[in-house]
Amino acid sequence: MFRPIVFLFFSNLFMTYAWYGHLKNFNSKPLFFVVLFSWGVAFFEYVLQVPANRIGFQYYSLAQLKIIQEVITMIVFAGFAVTYMKQPLKLDFLWAALCLVGAVYFIFRDGMPHA
């Protein structure tokens, strides 16, 4: 039941770097190079994300999988923004997290589907 969450976490590390890492490292590189590089990184995202969703769908509903994905995305993004991109930690991260807590509540309030 936790394996898909672990896979999604690592998938999001690749996704976040593919989407935003080039903003720090490759500003002087040609756009075509950056696109190809990001696609290469994103490949590893999909190597983890697709099995995570296949495994996860045995335990969670589609909506629950999506909310889990979004929560993980925000956690990974916040950590990436602060540690790697050296962005300031803002109170907005807390407000966004509270909105996600509400989303988790509404999606999971009827419990977990039984496979």
Side-chain angles (χ1 to χ4, degrees):
M1 180 149 83
F2 292 107
R3 192 166 50 159
I5 294 171
V6 171
F7 282 14
L8 287 172
F9 176 80
F10 285 104
S11 168
N12 268 273
L13 290 175
F14 285 109
M15 177 194 71
T16 302
Y17 185 78
W19 285 15
Y20 304 108
H22 63 88
L23 298 174
K24 180 176 181 179
N25 298 322
F26 298 117
N27 281 334
S28 62
K29 300 289 185 191
L31 184 58
F32 185 72
F33 168 82
V34 174
V35 168
L36 290 178
F37 177 81
S38 292
W39 277 353
V41 172
F43 169 79
F44 296 102
E45 171 205 352
Y46 279 88
V47 165
L48 293 167
Q49 181 266 335
V50 171
N53 284 332
R54 280 195 166 195
I55 296 165
F57 197 57
Q58 297 173 25
Y59 304 102
Y60 306 106
S61 71
L62 185 62
Q64 289 171 336
L65 274 172
K66 181 59 180 168
I67 292 301
I68 291 168
Q69 168 68 29
E70 293 304 327
V71 169
I72 292 170
T73 296
M74 285 304 299
I75 291 168
V76 169
F77 179 78
F80 177 84
V82 171
T83 59
Y84 187 77
M85 296 297 286
K86 306 297 185 209
Q87 299 291 305
L89 183 61
K90 293 181 167 184
L91 202 52
D92 291 341
F93 287 118
L94 174 64
W95 306 136
L98 289 174
C99 290
L100 287 172
V101 167
V104 169
Y105 168 76
F106 285 112
I107 290 297
F108 281 90
R109 71 179 165 170
D110 290 333
M112 304 252 298
H114 300 291

